[in-house]
Amino acid sequence: MVTPNWELQGCCNRNQNAFLITIGIFTVVILLLWRTFLLTPFKLITVFLHEASHAVACKLTCGDVEGMEVNANEGGSTTTRGGIYWLILPAGYLGSSFWGMALILASTNLLTARIAAAGLGLALFIVLFIAKNWTLRGLCIGFIVFLAIIWVLQELTTVKILRYVILFIGVMNSLFSVYDIYDDLISRRVHSSDAEKFAEICPCCTGCGWGVIWGMISFMFLCASLYLGLVILS
């Protein structure tokens, strides 16, 4: 049995260097293209994972998901009935950060990258049946086709980019989650935000305070993805 190299002794080998360099390149590219339309589909996927996390939390706490929307302005909503509200509310931001970490870690191995791509495609297919607007339906169909093309290229040609696509989506999701928490919950107060609603249930902190806490947790997910990725590749 191989013992994980938690201390990262001998870091960094070729695979670890490639992992860090690729994440660095993706981060620079994302920041340079942040305000352009080229990143819009990937931002909307982050919004999708945010709303899907609300839905998952609702179902896990015995509630019903009545519908989901993702809007072209990078907003979204999930309509739920029942469930445990104080778990459903933070699940959006924190769940999105968690999925970003999961995708980054999945990219370290081709098998797990395949599983991640198949899982994301399945989630998009399921959401097609509860989508309330055509922006979300179009996003689901578009990304299912996109993932299918990347999968075919990986399996049938010399263009082996599936792991890089999963890593890019993971990095994009992690960065956008942290930014979204800052923009929606900390730098400006949106009274209809998840944090403001959560503050009404748990008044020990203001909505901004909960935003800071969620932001710190989200950043910890990002740091954990880098550390665990290095451990896996050691």
Side-chain angles (χ1 to χ4, degrees):
M1 181 178 179
V2 179
T3 303
N5 182 15
W6 300 113
E7 296 81 14
L8 294 178
Q9 295 177 357
C11 185
C12 296
N13 60 35
R14 181 179 178 182
N15 289 333
Q16 290 170 320
N17 283 327
F19 177 68
L20 292 174
I21 291 171
T22 305
I23 288 177
I25 292 172
F26 284 168
T27 300
V28 171
V29 169
I30 288 167
L31 293 177
L32 289 175
L33 299 178
W34 191 261
R35 301 290 182 182
T36 70
F37 71 93
L38 296 174
L39 287 186
T40 298
F42 297 97
K43 289 181 178 180
L44 294 181
I45 277 292
T46 301
V47 177
F48 162 79
L49 289 172
H50 174 114
E51 301 304 333
S53 297
H54 283 308
V56 169
C58 176
K59 296 301 291 185
L60 289 177
T61 56
C62 302
D64 291 319
V65 179
E66 298 183 340
M68 185 188 300
E69 289 186 16
V70 170
N71 302 315
N73 64 356
E74 298 167 18
S77 64
T78 301
T79 306
T80 63
R81 179 163 47 87
I84 302 176
Y85 200 45
W86 60 270
L87 289 178
I88 296 172
L89 282 172
Y93 290 106
L94 300 183
S96 181
S97 300
F98 171 81
W99 294 122
M101 178 183 72
L103 290 170
I104 290 174
L105 296 180
S107 73
T108 58
N109 179 278
L110 181 55
L111 174 61
T112 51
R114 286 182 176 130
I115 293 171
L120 180 57
L122 178 62
L124 289 163
F125 179 76
I126 292 172
V127 168
L128 266 175
F129 297 95
I130 60 171
K132 280 191 166 184
N133 65 339
W134 278 103
T135 300
L136 179 53
R137 294 188 189 103
L139 179 71
C140 291
I141 294 170
F143 255 87
I144 289 171
V145 172
F146 171 71
L147 290 172
I149 292 172
I150 297 301
W151 190 291
V152 170
L153 291 174
Q154 175 70 37
E155 301 300 326
L156 301 180
T157 73
T158 58
V159 182
K160 310 295 186 181
I161 60 172
L162 179 62
R163 288 176 59 192
Y164 296 103
V165 170
I166 294 300
L167 179 58
F168 183 85
I169 296 174
V171 172
M172 178 70 207
N173 200 81
S174 296
L175 292 177
F176 190 66
S177 296
V178 174
Y179 169 80
D180 210 25
I181 289 174
Y182 172 76
D183 187 50
D184 287 351
L185 310 180
I186 299 173
S187 67
R188 57 191 177 94
R189 294 187 65 180
V190 180
H191 293 290
S192 60
S193 71
D194 295 339
E196 291 294 336
K197 293 177 182 177
F198 193 74
E200 296 175 3
I201 301 173
C202 301
C204 57
C205 273
T206 63
C208 182
W210 284 117
V212 171
I213 293 171
W214 294 354
M216 292 173 62
I217 296 173
S218 183
F219 184 72
M220 288 171 61
F221 276 131
L222 176 57
C223 293
S225 67
L226 296 177
Y227 169 69
L228 293 174
L230 292 175
V231 170
I232 292 169
L233 293 169
S234 64

